Amino acid sequence: MRVCVIGTGYVGLVTGACLAYIGHDVICVDNNEEKVKLMKSGQSPIHEPGLPEILTESIRQGKIEFTTDIATGVKHGEVLFIAVGTPSLADGRSDMRYVEAVARSIGESLTDGYRVIVNKSTVPIGSGDWVRMIVLDGMAGQSNDQIEFDVVSNPEFLREGVAVYDTFNPDRIVVGSDSDRALQLMQELYTPIIDRSFAENKTLAPVPVVVTDLNSAEMIKYAANAFLATKISFVNEIANICDRVGADVKEVARGIGLDSRIGSKFLQAGIGWGGSCFGKDVSALIYTAADYGYSTEILKACVRVNELQRILVVEKLQQALKILKGKTIGLLGMTFKPDTDDMRDAPALTLIDQLSRLGARVKAYDPLVSQSGLRQGFSNVIVETDLERLADGCDAVVLVTDWQEFLAIDYAKMLRLMHHPVIIDARNFLDGKALKALGYQYIGIGR
């Protein structure tokens, strides 16, 4: 099938490259010329494991192209994906300017034939009908009555760091539309994934496809992220009680996670959630509910607990070191999660701000950020290029991101370089007993 993906961020580029890899003819559109040149050369502008290989093979097979010309993409595609950003505004609303601009451009560029316009971006409930209206506005002045289109909601459930895996091994595919014709086309598009032809385990049953209306499909995305964010905030609240009563939250999480009604995923206590999705989507859902006169008390508490959890790490440092003014604090990890270079709403940024405000010097090391040009772009932090420089002269080290390579650090050597042997494990990721045996004052979350 002929596919056009507009927007080549984490969602758009992964979607386009994976659809090309399974055999579709894909054109990806982005208005950033430098980015398009980079992708044409086979390089990925984002760090995502497995993506460079998928991209290179799709280009070699002639299945994917890149352009800045949206009209070229629209003319090519039977299925047109809108995959541009919808960042949060100050009041919690989603910023829909980019979606609006793309929808209008699609309308201006439509030619003869039938198209399915797919909202892949996370958009507020009701956006399907709104996008239809904007596309029609873009078509104003065209007298061609041979143009037909339907709008579909097809939310993504990709996790950064494993997005390629998630594309080929989804828990479900959600498609919302009131058009049987559009739904049939989407089923055809995803058939190789539904049939698990490209799955890691090809013996599993076909991927469940949730076929529903536009509004419900949009709500599924928000509800899923809101629930996961709430689950993390819940276990963090339990961890804070554990700290006070002498229980170990890792044991508690293991015990409750074995209950099939609860499950073990997203029960890892720590510094809280970050990234581009949870905060944005929970805020958007709170704002939408308020539009209809409903106050979302659980979701508001979820956000508040997450904010406090970041400050909790600073409080633990104060308890261990007393005065932070004039102290040097090292951060292990900066990105919001491992295997990505994404710094959006990363907990490390909150720590840097809070510690700087209290007069501490902050140093940081991250496997990706430290080796990239990004390391020059941060204020109030010295981004070190190796672990020895990070540890040198530190009064405490905080593990912020649970990169696997941090398990293999020579912590004995690091200890000899530090002023004080304090380590805050903000992800409960390290072996606390082993670190204590080396002479560290090990402090976890809820342990």
Side-chain angles (χ1 to χ4, degrees), residues 36-83:
V36 168
K37 285 180 184 176
L38 189 70
M39 293 184 291
K40 280 183 175 180
S41 71
Q43 299 180 68
S44 172
I46 58 175
H47 179 85
E48 187 61 47
L51 182 58
E53 294 80 3
I54 294 285
L55 201 55
T56 300
E57 180 61 20
S58 297
I59 291 172
R60 191 183 72 81
Q61 295 282 349
K63 287 295 184 180
I64 193 166
E65 300 175 34
F66 302 94
T67 181
T68 57
D69 183 13
I70 194 168
T72 298
V74 171
K75 184 178 180 181
H76 167 83
E78 303 167 78
V79 181
L80 313 175
F81 282 93
I82 300 175

Side-chain angles (χ1 to χ4, degrees), residues 281-342:
D281 292 354
V282 174
S283 294
L285 196 52
I286 291 170
Y287 186 92
T288 297
D291 272 348
Y292 290 85
Y294 184 75
S295 180
T296 51
E297 299 304 319
I298 290 177
L299 296 184
K300 289 177 183 176
C302 162
V303 172
R304 181 60 178 153
V305 167
N306 197 63
E307 291 170 349
L308 293 173
Q309 202 66 17
R310 298 184 183 189
I311 305 302
L312 177 70
V313 173
V314 178
E315 292 175 356
K316 286 181 178 290
L317 284 168
Q318 288 175 318
Q319 290 165 6
L321 299 175
K322 307 310 178 188
I323 303 298
L324 296 183
K325 190 182 295 291
K327 300 293 198 303
T328 299
I329 310 298
L331 305 183
L332 281 171
M334 294 182 70
T335 56
F336 88 94
K337 63 180 292 188
D339 297 316
T340 181
D341 56 1
D342 197 346

Side-chain angles (χ1 to χ4, degrees), residues 78-355:
E78 303 167 78
V79 181
L80 313 175
F81 282 93
I82 300 175
V84 293
T86 54
S88 282
L89 295 170
D91 60 5
R93 287 179 298 152
S94 295
D95 186 346
M96 297 291 286
R97 286 178 297 168
Y98 309 113
V99 173
E100 181 176 2
V102 168
R104 194 175 304 279
S105 295
I106 288 174
E108 294 168 351
S109 305
L110 284 175
T111 54
D112 291 2
Y114 175 71
R115 306 290 203 288
V116 174
I117 300 171
V118 184
N119 268 338
K120 198 68 173 174
S121 303
T122 302
V123 292
I125 297 95
S127 293
D129 292 333
W130 177 77
V131 164
R132 184 192 306 276
M133 179 184 72
I134 301 300
V135 172
L136 289 171
D137 286 348
M139 291 173 60
Q142 290 199 51
S143 57
N144 193 337
D145 58 3
Q146 300 301 311
I147 298 174
E148 297 179 87
F149 73 90
D150 283 306
V151 176
V152 167
S153 174
N154 174 218
E156 55 83 17
F157 301 96
L158 306 179
R159 298 167 296 164
E160 289 183 34
V162 286
V164 171
Y165 174 87
D166 285 350
T167 300
F168 294 137
N169 303 269
D171 291 329
R172 75 291 201 194
I173 294 172
V174 176
V175 182
S177 177
D178 54 6
S179 165
D180 290 339
R181 186 179 182 183
L183 293 170
Q184 178 62 35
L185 209 61
M186 294 300 291
Q187 290 266 7
E188 291 176 22
L189 180 78
Y190 283 123
T191 292
I193 293 176
I194 294 169
D195 293 347
R196 299 196 186 273
S197 301
F198 292 82
E200 192 172 86
N201 184 352
K202 296 178 174 59
T203 65
L204 296 175
V207 174
V209 180
V210 179
V211 177
T212 184
D213 60 275
L214 275 168
N215 291 353
S216 296
E218 292 162 352
M219 188 63 168
I220 286 168
K221 169 66 175 179
Y222 280 111
N225 275 353
F227 182 81
L228 295 175
T230 302
K231 196 171 181 182
I232 295 169
S233 288
F234 171 80
V235 77
N236 280 332
E237 192 142 88
I238 294 298
N240 296 338
I241 300 172
C242 287
D243 260 338
R244 287 157 173 79
V245 301
D248 185 339
V249 73
K250 292 196 76 168
E251 294 300 307
V252 174
R254 184 165 69 96
I256 66 175
L258 291 170
D259 188 323
S260 61
R261 298 168 299 176
I262 296 172
S264 60
K265 293 181 179 179
F266 286 80
L267 281 182
Q268 287 73 44
I271 199 171
W273 39 263
S276 64
C277 291
F278 284 176
K280 176 174 72 72
D281 292 354
V282 174
S283 294
L285 196 52
I286 291 170
Y287 186 92
T288 297
D291 272 348
Y292 290 85
Y294 184 75
S295 180
T296 51
E297 299 304 319
I298 290 177
L299 296 184
K300 289 177 183 176
C302 162
V303 172
R304 181 60 178 153
V305 167
N306 197 63
E307 291 170 349
L308 293 173
Q309 202 66 17
R310 298 184 183 189
I311 305 302
L312 177 70
V313 173
V314 178
E315 292 175 356
K316 286 181 178 290
L317 284 168
Q318 288 175 318
Q319 290 165 6
L321 299 175
K322 307 310 178 188
I323 303 298
L324 296 183
K325 190 182 295 291
K327 300 293 198 303
T328 299
I329 310 298
L331 305 183
L332 281 171
M334 294 182 70
T335 56
F336 88 94
K337 63 180 292 188
D339 297 316
T340 181
D341 56 1
D342 197 346
M343 290 292 301
R344 287 175 291 182
D345 195 30
L349 298 178
T350 302
L351 288 184
I352 291 166
D353 287 344
Q354 291 294 321
L355 292 170

